[in-house]
Amino acid sequence: MNQHPNQVQAYQPRQQVQSAQPIPMPNRVGQATAVEQSRAVAEVQAAIVVAQQCPRNISLAVSQMNESCRQKGLADRAFFRFPRARQTVSGASVHLARELARCWGNVQYGVSELRRDDEVGQSEMQAWAWDVQTNTRSSSTFIVPHKRDTKEDGPKPLTDMRDVYENNANNGARRLREAIFSILPQWFVEDAKELCNQTLADGGGRTVAQRSAEAIGMFEKGGITRDQLETKLGRKTDQWTHHDIAQLEVIFTSLQRGEVTRDEEFPAERITEEHLKAPTKQPAQVTGDKSEEAGR
């Protein structure tokens, strides 16, 4: 059957298009929530406008980074140490990452707890960092179990609210550190780490002997002897350098924060089969009147 040319329609295959499901919304939104939503949108828009109108000055950012990394207060907190798989992992800390983000400018970052499930015992969290000027963003969504690993009893459930908060904060800080470092230029981060190492090695103008005495005194208060420190560094006290003492300062700070334990950094000396087979020294014989007194 012929159709009139005006009635001819192009053949189009039928497509089954599923209608988008509406996003569930709360039945009632309070005034404070509505104001906060509007404020958040306006804040993001304002940050983008300001970043475009006031772009960062890289020379000024480098100058601010140099000034910050020369401060011993930052250098003392710029690195971390913690055990993993019978090894010690070390690197730049979240404190250094936050300071570098401030120096670089036009950077926003944060950690959010998206959902907490006390019945299952876990929290869904997100860490993010955003370079507003270049629109470079890094984010990570992760699950944090409400547990803490222990060597004696394995994973231990956390029920106290403060313990859960601190556990979430520690895990969030690690992801936040990586998010910030991922959007910063690599050369900027490496220069900052080198300057912090130099600040630790300098020691505020004090001599090696002065810093050695202070380091030994700090560790002895915690029950760690000079011999253990010498074993850790692999050299005697009179051979220590500024870099050796800087390493001890990082270890001491990590011990105070609880990132590592005393046994992990300074394990007890193991008694081997050679020690057991080694001949014992016989006490020297005492002659004269003292031997007679010892025999009485």
Side-chain angles (χ1 to χ4, degrees):
M1 179 179 180
N2 297 329
Q3 294 182 346
H4 193 274
N6 295 334
Q7 296 179 351
V8 175
Q9 297 180 356
Y11 171 76
Q12 296 180 351
R14 295 183 179 179
Q15 297 181 354
Q16 295 182 354
V17 180
Q18 297 181 354
S19 59
Q21 297 295 330
I23 300 176
M25 300 293 292
N27 296 330
R28 178 180 179 276
V29 177
Q31 182 179 4
T33 303
V35 170
E36 179 62 22
Q37 291 175 345
S38 300
R39 184 202 63 79
V41 174
E43 183 179 4
V44 171
Q45 294 176 344
I48 297 175
V49 172
V50 171
Q52 296 298 326
Q53 294 179 350
C54 303
R56 70 175 56 92
N57 185 330
I58 296 181
S59 299
L60 179 60
V62 172
S63 176
Q64 291 180 346
M65 180 267 289
N66 291 337
E67 182 66 24
S68 295
C69 294
R70 288 193 179 98
Q71 307 302 318
K72 194 172 185 302
L74 174 63
D76 287 337
R77 308 179 66 188
F79 302 99
F80 67 88
R81 293 170 64 91
F82 65 89
R84 178 192 295 168
R86 298 182 180 179
Q87 295 181 352
T88 301
V89 180
S90 61
S93 67
V94 67
H95 305 289
L96 180 60
R98 289 169 176 160
E99 181 61 20
L100 294 184
R102 184 193 68 82
C103 296
W104 190 244
N106 290 338
V107 174
Q108 296 187 2
Y109 56 85
V111 178
S112 305
E113 185 177 12
L114 305 179
R115 182 175 180 269
R116 177 180 296 188
D117 192 335
D118 291 327
E119 294 183 0
V120 179
Q122 66 182 23
S123 295
E124 183 178 359
M125 303 186 65
Q126 183 182 66
W128 57 273
W130 179 28
D131 187 332
V132 185
Q133 180 174 323
T134 61
N135 198 25
T136 303
R137 183 182 176 91
S138 175
S139 64
S140 174
T141 303
F142 52 97
I143 300 297
V144 180
H146 298 170
K147 297 179 181 180
R148 179 178 294 134
D149 292 330
T150 60
K151 287 188 174 182
E152 295 79 9
D153 304 325
K156 176 183 177 182
L158 301 177
T159 56
D160 186 75
M161 297 298 294
R162 182 180 181 87
D163 293 338
V164 172
Y165 162 76
E166 292 178 349
N167 185 58
N168 290 348
N170 290 336
N171 284 271
R174 298 175 186 175
R175 270 73 171 192
L176 178 62
R177 177 188 68 219
E178 299 304 322
I180 295 176
F181 284 149
S182 66
I183 66 171
L184 294 178
Q186 189 66 26
W187 61 265
F188 190 72
V189 177
E190 293 300 324
D191 288 351
K193 291 161 62 175
E194 181 63 25
L195 285 173
C196 287
N197 278 320
Q198 294 178 5
T199 303
L200 289 174
D202 178 66
R206 292 169 296 171
T207 64
V208 176
Q210 292 174 338
R211 298 182 65 192
S212 298
E214 293 177 0
I216 293 173
M218 289 189 306
F219 280 100
E220 284 181 345
K221 292 180 180 179
I224 300 173
T225 64
R226 179 196 299 259
D227 293 338
Q228 290 177 295
L229 297 178
E230 292 176 345
T231 303
K232 181 70 175 179
L233 297 178
R235 54 177 61 93
K236 295 294 183 180
T237 308
D238 55 359
Q239 298 176 341
W240 287 359
T241 64
H242 283 292
H243 289 281
D244 293 330
I245 302 175
Q247 180 181 353
L248 292 179
E249 290 176 348
V250 174
I251 295 174
F252 184 80
T253 304
S254 298
L255 288 171
Q256 286 185 318
R257 295 177 189 161
E259 297 171 344
V260 293
T261 64
R262 172 182 169 181
D263 294 336
E264 290 168 344
E265 289 290 345
F266 304 95
E269 183 180 0
R270 296 182 178 180
I271 301 177
T272 61
E273 186 177 354
E274 287 73 11
H275 288 86
L276 297 176
K277 293 181 179 180
T280 57
K281 295 183 180 180
Q282 298 294 332
Q285 295 182 356
V286 182
T287 59
D289 297 338
K290 292 184 179 180
S291 62
E292 296 177 358
E293 292 177 359
R296 294 180 182 175

